[in-house]
Amino acid sequence: MRRPPLSVGFLVALLAAATFGMSGAFVKPLLESGWSPVAAVTVRALTGGIVLLPFALFAVRGRWRAVWRGRWRILGMATIGVAGTQVLYFAAIQRIAVSTAILVEYLAPILLVAFVWVRSRRTPKPVVLVGSVVAVAGLVLVVSPSGDQPFDAIGLALAIAAMVGCAVFYVIAARPSDGLPPVALACGGLLIGGLALAAVGATGLLPFTVRLTDVALLGTAVPWWVPVLVVGVFATAIAYASSITATEILGSRLASFTGLLEVVAATLYAWLLLGESLQPLQLLGGVLILGGIAFVRAEKADRALTEPGPLPEAGAPESRDVPSHSTTPVGPARGSESPRT
């Protein structure tokens, strides 16, 4: 079975970025009405998991052994890709600027490139290094980190930990599926992750507050469950399922670079739905991010064209970016095999 072309994976990754980016614009009204971040993320994860549950059950019918084989992958997605990363991110923004925290977290693609560089002891191709620099420059312009807050070592450490969690999300998503459907991985990760977040809230380590009142959205008052449903269905269920699917096709490195478009999408949604201003430099940053992705994708496509023989299956070890234990060197690419925030 041949792996789907990169163009298909790229389109699915665009869908993931577009839907993931909706979360901020629709969660912000909940937070402003009195919801705590952990409560909002918990409801988001559980709603998304419940929406995906019938599709996951249909996808795994008769293949429960695949679920059992993938139990550690599901658990890793739940604890790190869903719960851990989001808790660390929200803990970070309680101490440092949101723009600074998200900038640090979305350095995850660079972390993946560096990890492969160190592990394989092979310098990435110039096109990858150029793409990394261009993408980070674009990310800085889009986020425009604030410099009006004092240095907070704990907040920065939490943001760095969230960056590691974001990288691990892509690592887990790009692992060989071994028969586990992407929708099942997303569903299991969201449900277990949501329950883990609820447990964190119950311990009192982070505030857990819910306000079942109307919220302000699009210039009018709407019931609290409207943004919850939008975030749960689109920014969580569809977003996680499509992101995992795209990562299995593209690999962790290219998918993580494409994931930078989530920041661009979030900025556009905030402009359209919340009236937050969009500056020319932010538009330039979005163009630079696209340019960086194009550089990284060009290297990926070049490998596919120059390597002899048919492409391996999406989950085959040869498609991973981290070198296998064989003596044949593998070019640096994705990572080792996502909250997401």
Side-chain angles (χ1 to χ4, degrees):
M1 180 179 178
R2 295 179 64 87
R3 182 174 55 182
L6 292 179
S7 58
V8 173
F10 189 66
L11 289 174
V12 178
L14 287 178
L15 173 63
T19 49
F20 264 128
M22 298 174 67
S23 61
F26 284 92
V27 169
K28 186 173 182 178
L30 294 174
L31 299 178
E32 291 177 342
S33 70
W35 286 57
S36 66
V38 174
V41 174
T42 299
V43 174
R44 169 192 178 185
L46 292 177
T47 302
I50 292 172
V51 169
L52 289 179
L53 185 58
F55 301 97
L57 292 175
F58 180 81
V60 301
R61 66 192 189 286
R63 289 190 289 172
W64 293 105
R65 289 185 178 179
V67 177
W68 177 249
R69 290 194 302 269
R71 62 191 182 278
W72 296 115
R73 192 170 173 230
I74 295 174
L75 185 61
M77 178 63 69
T79 57
I80 301 177
V82 175
T85 301
Q86 295 188 54
V87 168
L88 288 168
Y89 171 75
F90 284 119
I93 65 176
Q94 291 179 332
R95 306 183 67 97
I96 62 178
V98 173
S99 56
T100 303
I102 198 170
L103 174 60
V104 173
E105 180 182 355
Y106 275 88
L107 291 177
I110 309 304
L111 178 63
L112 290 174
V113 171
F115 176 76
V116 176
W117 189 348
V118 172
R119 182 168 177 176
S120 66
R121 298 181 182 179
R122 297 183 61 185
T123 303
K125 291 184 178 181
V127 69
V128 175
L129 297 178
V130 171
S132 300
V133 173
V134 171
V136 171
L139 185 62
V140 171
L141 291 179
V142 170
V143 174
S144 300
S146 172
D148 58 357
Q149 288 194 356
F151 176 77
D152 190 311
I154 296 178
L156 182 61
L158 290 168
I160 293 174
M163 174 190 67
V164 175
C166 184
V168 172
F169 167 86
Y170 289 107
V171 165
I172 295 173
R175 293 293 296 174
S177 62
D178 199 15
L180 180 66
V183 67
L185 174 59
C187 177
L190 288 170
L191 289 176
I192 297 174
L195 293 174
L197 284 171
V200 170
T203 62
L205 293 176
L206 292 173
F208 193 96
T209 306
V210 173
R211 294 281 186 265
L212 305 182
T213 59
D214 289 352
V215 299
L217 185 64
L218 295 175
T220 186
V222 299
W224 62 271
W225 49 264
V226 171
V228 166
L229 283 182
V230 172
V231 170
V233 175
F234 293 96
T236 306
I238 295 177
Y240 271 92
S242 56
S243 180
I244 292 172
T245 301
T247 306
E248 287 191 358
I249 299 173
L250 300 175
S252 61
R253 192 201 62 195
L254 182 53
S256 65
F257 273 90
T258 307
L260 294 177
L261 292 176
E262 178 189 338
V263 181
V264 180
T267 304
L268 290 174
Y269 287 129
W271 173 49
L272 294 172
L273 301 177
L274 303 178
E276 296 184 0
S277 60
L278 194 61
Q279 304 299 324
L281 284 180
Q282 291 178 302
L283 295 175
L284 175 60
V287 173
L288 289 178
I289 289 176
L290 288 173
I293 294 171
F295 276 112
V296 177
R297 186 181 185 279
E299 188 272 344
K300 186 77 174 179
D302 179 68
R303 287 182 59 201
L305 291 173
T306 56
E307 291 177 355
L311 286 172
E313 295 184 18
E318 290 83 354
S319 67
R320 305 300 115 218
D321 291 321
V322 171
S324 64
H325 295 291
S326 66
T327 58
T328 303
V330 179
R334 290 174 288 181
S336 65
E337 300 3 301
S338 357
R340 315 283 313 186
T341 301

